Structures are given as C-alpha cells and as structure tokens.
Amino acid sequence: MDLITFLLPAYKAKFLKSAIQSILNQTYSNFELIIVDDCSPEGLKKIVELFDDPRIKYFKNEINIGGANLVNQWNHCLQFANGEYLVLAADDDLYEPDFLSSGMTIMNKYPNLDIVHSPIKIINENNEIIGLDGFIPEYSSKIEFVFYWLNATVFTCIGNYLFKSSKIKELKFIDFPSAFGSDTASVIQMTDNGIGSIGSRAFNFRISSIHLSSNLGKIDDKLSANTQLFNWFKNLTFPTAENEIDKYCLHEIRWEKLYAKSMYDYYQLVVRHLPIHKLGVVRKCEILSPKDQFKLILRYFKDKIIGK
C-alpha cells in the first residue's frame, strides 16, 4: 500500500476534533496525518493530544502564516509530507471512511493521473446537508473537467482531491488573494493527464460562520482574486481535442463563456452583498467592460430595491 499524507493546516479549534476523527476512520490505513498548527491562540495541541495514534505528527509554526497569506501556509506545509500521495485537509471538513480507499482505486486504475476528485456533500455547523454537487465520469480530460467546473457540476474546495505529491510539490498551490479561486486553479493545473473521480460523495465541505468562504468581508481580495483567476484562464492551455466530447466541451469553454462566468462571480461573491454607498467598487471588476459593470449595478437595484 502506498503511503498517503493528510496535510491539515489548522487554526480553528471548533471542529478540529471531528475533522481529525474522520481522517483516522479511513479504511485505507497506510497514511500519515500531519497537523500544522498555524500559531493558533485556541490551544490546538490539547485537542491533538486527545488522539493516541502514531500516524499523527504535530508541528506548530513560530508565526501565523495563513493569516497573512493562506496559500503560503498551504505551500509551507508541503515540506512535511512524506507520502506518495497527498490530501490537503481543513480543520472543519469531514471525510467519509472510504475516501482514501476509493481514491486509490482510481489512482491505481489510471496510473498516469496526478489527481483524483471526490463529489461532495455541503454541510452546516450541525452536520446537516445543505447542498450537493454532481457526479462526473470516472475519467475526464482536462478540457472536459473545465467544462464541468464552468457549468457548476463540480464544487472545488481543495480538500476533496487526492494529489500525486511529486506533482503538487513541483507546481505548488496557486496564490490568489485570501485563497479565493486558488483551489480552482490549483486543481485544474494538475489535470494535464486527466482527472479521476470516485463514484460516491466521500467528502463533507462545511459552510459555517467561521469559514473563510462564508465571510462577506474581504471585498477587495475577492474582486482581485476573481480578476486574477479569469486572467489565469485566459492563458490556460489545453490539449488537442481528439474526440467528440472534448470538441464540444472546448467550444463551450471559449472565452465568451468564461467572461460570462466572471461577471456572474463578481456579482455573487461581492456586488450583491454591498451596501449602496459602496457600489463604486464595481469599477474594480476589471475583467468587465464599463457597459457590463453598469449592468451589475442595474441588477443590484433590481434585486435589492425592486425585488427579484
């Protein structure tokens, strides 16, 4: 059995115990759990010490890295990984017991893959399901996977992927402000040899009041990250489309479609949450033409004042 590393950059205490337990419950037993305490003030070591398992290794940063740059913390943690494969976990998400075993079944079936995906359940603070993403084929090309992302079939949240360690250590996680969009780009860069997907929802992504993606602040970071992500897409290269599915998907992920997605994301991530006196930040939606920036403002007033 190949050694797999669970990397868990930790800062929040609230769900850490259950996150660790879900990892230790894996039916695939040959893994290490590397917990990197990002200089948290919440006494994480005491939680870690509740578990008597030799697969757990605990490290603590001398300074807080993730508070200034979350992706720097992700990349910092890579140095501790010894496994041939790697999962970047979080201190609040949960894994089903078959996550690793199912992922390795796909990895072994398609040995050229650098990445395997798990469909997800989205849960709240009480572990109640509040959303689901879709299933994709057991094997997809890079072109096909971007099509699924663009059409919201897959929900990218970094923890639901099994990476080949050598490849992610070479490429590193991609740094956008406050890590918004970093999961998407970091995953897609790993798909040059295609991507595998398991046939069950083996990952639970938690949305809570303390989760970064739930934060309605960080307006400038979200706008800048969205701009950087879609500029990154402009420079993304794809293999030659060699079958009918890839030809169709490549046509459907042309820039006009990505532009429309960038406009949608600017609105959903930031604009619709703004108070009226801050609508001027729409000028920072840099991908969009002035005409389309104005359309966002019109949509805002329609939604907020006239009603949806």
Side-chain angles (χ1 to χ4, degrees):
M1 294 174 71
D2 294 308
L3 178 66
I4 301 174
T5 298
F6 270 103
L7 275 181
L8 202 169
Y11 188 80
K12 304 181 297 291
K14 185 174 182 179
F15 301 107
L16 180 60
K17 182 179 178 181
S18 57
I20 293 173
Q21 188 63 64
S22 77
I23 292 171
L24 297 180
N25 288 345
Q26 293 300 300
T27 58
Y28 185 104
S29 59
N30 191 29
F31 65 85
E32 61 178 3
L33 171 55
I34 308 293
I35 299 172
V36 184
D37 181 339
D38 196 16
C39 201
S40 171
E42 299 186 13
L44 304 188
K45 188 175 183 181
K46 291 182 179 179
I47 297 174
V48 176
E49 289 174 343
L50 295 173
F51 298 92
D52 182 17
D53 192 310
R55 295 173 295 183
I56 298 177
K57 300 173 185 177
Y58 172 84
F59 300 90
K60 185 170 183 177
N61 294 339
E62 293 183 2
I63 61 171
N64 176 257
I65 298 174
N69 187 306
L70 182 58
V71 178
N72 279 353
Q73 166 68 340
W74 295 354
N75 287 325
H76 166 75
C77 292
L78 288 174
Q79 66 183 300
F80 301 111
N82 301 299
E84 185 174 353
Y85 301 94
L86 180 150
V87 179
L88 183 65
D91 53 21
D92 53 2
D93 298 329
L94 301 175
Y95 293 88
E96 299 296 336
D98 64 341
F99 176 85
L100 286 187
S101 60
S102 298
M104 286 307 298
T105 296
I106 301 299
M107 278 289 191
N108 291 328
K109 186 174 181 179
Y110 304 96
N112 290 330
L113 290 179
D114 295 312
I115 186 169
V116 167
H117 155 270
S118 169
I120 71 166
K121 292 171 281 186
I122 305 172
I123 60 174
N124 62 16
E125 297 190 13
N126 300 315
N127 294 340
E128 298 166 333
I129 296 175
I130 57 174
L132 301 170
D133 72 349
F135 290 92
I136 63 175
E138 186 177 270
Y139 174 87
S140 301
S141 69
K142 180 178 185 176
I143 297 169
E144 193 176 351
F145 181 73
V146 173
F147 170 81
Y148 294 135
W149 170 81
L150 183 60
N151 288 275
T153 304
V154 293
F155 189 95
T156 302
C157 44
I158 212 70
N160 60 321
Y161 292 87
L162 178 63
F163 300 96
K164 189 169 286 184
S165 294
S166 58
K167 191 68 173 181
I168 192 60
K169 286 182 177 181
E170 172 193 346
L171 297 177
K172 302 293 191 299
F173 295 103
I174 294 176
D175 183 15
F176 296 141
S178 294
F180 295 115
S182 292
D183 45 9
T184 296
S186 296
V187 164
I188 291 172
Q189 72 171 342
M190 296 284 289
T191 62
D192 284 347
N193 295 322
I195 182 169
S197 185
I198 69 177
S200 63
R201 293 187 175 94
F203 180 75
N204 299 274
F205 176 69
R206 190 184 304 278
I207 298 289
S208 72
S209 59
I210 60 174
H211 198 282
L212 179 62
S213 63
S214 308
N215 188 337
L216 296 182
K218 294 185 176 291
I219 290 172
D220 287 342
D221 279 0
K222 288 179 179 179
L223 291 172
S224 178
N226 201 53
T227 298
Q228 290 181 44
L229 173 62
F230 283 93
N231 279 329
W232 179 85
F233 270 113
K234 276 186 176 181
N235 297 313
L236 189 62
T237 58
F238 292 102
T240 301
E242 296 181 347
N243 57 59
E244 289 183 351
I245 289 177
D246 276 357
K247 288 176 182 177
Y248 169 78
C249 291
L250 191 59
H251 178 265
E252 292 300 305
I253 59 177
R254 64 192 186 277
W255 176 246
E256 292 92 332
K257 298 277 188 174
L258 288 164
Y259 180 92
K261 169 68 170 168
S262 76
M263 187 171 178
Y264 174 87
D265 286 355
Y266 278 129
Y267 187 80
Q268 294 297 325
L269 288 171
V270 176
V271 176
R272 73 186 184 98
H273 301 293
L274 294 172
I276 291 176
H277 70 275
K278 288 191 175 181
L279 277 179
V281 303
V282 169
R283 293 190 299 271
K284 296 184 179 180
C285 299
E286 296 176 9
I287 293 289
L288 305 182
S289 67
K291 178 180 178 180
D292 287 330
Q293 291 176 4
F294 183 65
K295 285 182 180 179
L296 291 189
I297 295 174
L298 290 179
R299 181 178 176 184
Y300 174 92
F301 283 108
K302 178 179 181 293
D303 288 350
K304 299 294 184 180
I305 298 176
I306 301 174
K308 296 181 182 179

